[in-house]
Amino acid sequence: MPVFYARDFDNHENVVFCSDEKTGLKAIIAIHNTNRGPALGGCRMWNYNDEKEAVTDALRLSRGMTYKAALANLNLGGGKAVIIGNSKTEKTPELFRAFGKFVERLSGNYITAEDVGTSVQDMGYISESTTHVVGLD
């Protein structure tokens, strides 16, 4: 089924597919809604069974972040990123720096943070490529 017609798409503003051959990065950044401010959401690294599962996870999680921010009355929208890979065996500083470059290209519309499979140290590597990251040491 095409993404635009997927049940979880739910009128997302932006879905970015990130690929970096040198580092092996395969990631998806989903921005659900920025009506209240830039989309904030963690970066999850998970060994998904396939790309469809990763897309579905990013869409569902980013929509949830929109509602969380609204319920907390924050001036933030909802977004989420997923990196496809095993966080125990495939993490490298270069992979996170490459991911940070994709975050930077979004010009502050998405702010990333730590989530399942990522750490404060990983956020430090991301911060070498973008200022749009929170949860730093």
Side-chain angles (χ1 to χ4, degrees):
M1 173 182 292
V3 173
F4 287 110
Y5 299 100
R7 182 175 54 106
D8 296 308
F9 179 70
D10 193 35
N11 293 313
H12 274 69
E13 292 177 12
N14 198 357
V15 180
V16 179
F17 294 85
C18 314
S19 177
D20 181 71
E21 188 175 1
K22 182 178 177 187
T23 64
L25 174 70
K26 299 280 187 246
I28 301 156
I29 301 171
I31 297 174
H32 180 254
N33 188 295
T34 59
N35 289 336
R36 299 177 61 91
L40 173 67
C43 173
R44 174 173 292 192
M45 186 167 187
W46 193 259
N47 200 18
Y48 294 97
N49 291 318
D50 55 40
E51 293 171 8
K52 183 177 186 275
E53 186 179 66
V55 170
T56 298
D57 204 28
L59 293 174
R60 288 181 183 169
L61 292 167
S62 61
R63 182 180 57 224
M65 290 304 294
T66 295
Y67 297 130
K68 274 185 172 181
L71 287 170
N73 201 29
L74 300 175
N75 292 325
L76 293 166
K80 202 69 162 189
V82 299
I83 296 175
I84 300 169
N86 186 324
S87 64
K88 293 179 177 38
T89 60
E90 297 180 53
K91 276 188 180 186
T92 65
E94 294 77 22
L95 180 126
F96 287 103
R97 289 182 191 115
F99 175 74
K101 290 177 183 176
F102 284 98
V103 172
E104 181 64 21
R105 290 178 189 156
L106 294 170
S107 303
N109 286 316
Y110 170 69
I111 302 164
T112 197
E114 183 181 354
D115 197 5
V116 174
T118 62
S119 67
V120 171
Q121 183 178 32
D122 300 329
M123 296 305 109
Y125 297 131
I126 291 169
S127 76
E128 294 176 28
S129 301
T130 186
T131 58
H132 308 293
V133 58
V134 295
L136 299 168
D137 195 14

